[in-house]
Amino acid sequence: MASILKKDLPEGQRALEQWRRTAADDLAATDDLPRRVWAMAVRYSLYLMERKAPGEGVEVRVAPWGAIKILEGPASDPHNLTPPDVIELEPDVWLRLVCGVSTWDEEKDAGHISAVGERDDLSDLLPLA
C-alpha cells in the first residue's frame, strides 16, 4: 500500500528535512508548519519505513496521512483486511520517533502509542533519519 506517489518523493524528502530542522531549533515551532509539510513528511517517512522493513505482518497507521504494512508475519485476515498487529500514532509522535527527537519507550510510556499484537514495538527500526 503506497503511502506516497513516486513523483512526490522529492517533495516528501524536503518536507521531512524541513520538519527535522524546525524541530531541532524549536519543537513547538513544528505546529506552525503548513499542513502539506506535515502530510508529505509523514508520507515520505512511511515510505522509508516500508523500504526498511518490508512485509505484511504489522500495520502502522499515522492518521490522517497514511498507513503501511511492514515486517514479515501473518498477513491480513481476508475477511477484515486487518493484520494481527496494528500500531497507531499521531503525526507529531510519528515524526518525533522518525527523527530521533524521542524514543519508542518514552512515547509508549506517555500513552502516545496505541499498539495491539505481539510485534508492538518498533524501537529497533527507529529513528529512520
Side-chain angles (χ1 to χ4, degrees):
M1 118 185 22
S3 57
I4 190 169
L5 298 173
K6 187 173 183 171
K7 70 177 183 68
D8 292 331
L9 289 174
E11 180 184 357
Q13 185 176 16
R14 287 189 301 272
L16 181 57
E17 185 54 38
Q18 182 178 357
W19 193 96
R20 181 188 354 267
R21 280 192 320 269
T22 302
D25 292 340
D26 178 8
L27 185 58
T30 61
D31 292 341
D32 297 329
L33 291 172
R35 182 174 170 86
R36 177 131 179 119
V37 169
W38 277 86
M40 295 307 288
V42 167
R43 290 177 181 145
Y44 182 72
S45 59
L46 288 170
Y47 164 80
L48 294 176
M49 179 61 82
E50 280 180 307
R51 293 181 55 94
K52 185 174 186 175
E56 294 289 322
V58 177
E59 186 166 292
V60 178
R61 300 174 182 167
V62 184
W65 292 306
I68 57 170
K69 291 182 182 174
I70 61 170
L71 298 173
E72 294 301 322
S76 304
D77 176 322
H79 298 289
N80 68 14
L81 301 178
T82 301
D85 299 294
V86 177
I87 298 170
E88 296 182 276
L89 310 97
E90 294 292 323
D92 59 329
V93 174
W94 174 248
L95 291 174
R96 287 195 303 264
L97 291 168
V98 164
C99 295
V101 173
S102 61
T103 68
W104 186 267
D105 288 339
E106 289 169 342
E107 297 292 354
K108 184 82 169 168
D109 291 346
H112 298 155
I113 299 172
S114 170
V116 177
E118 293 178 15
R119 292 167 295 166
D120 63 352
D121 185 338
L122 301 181
S123 59
D124 289 344
L125 299 171
L126 295 164
L128 283 176

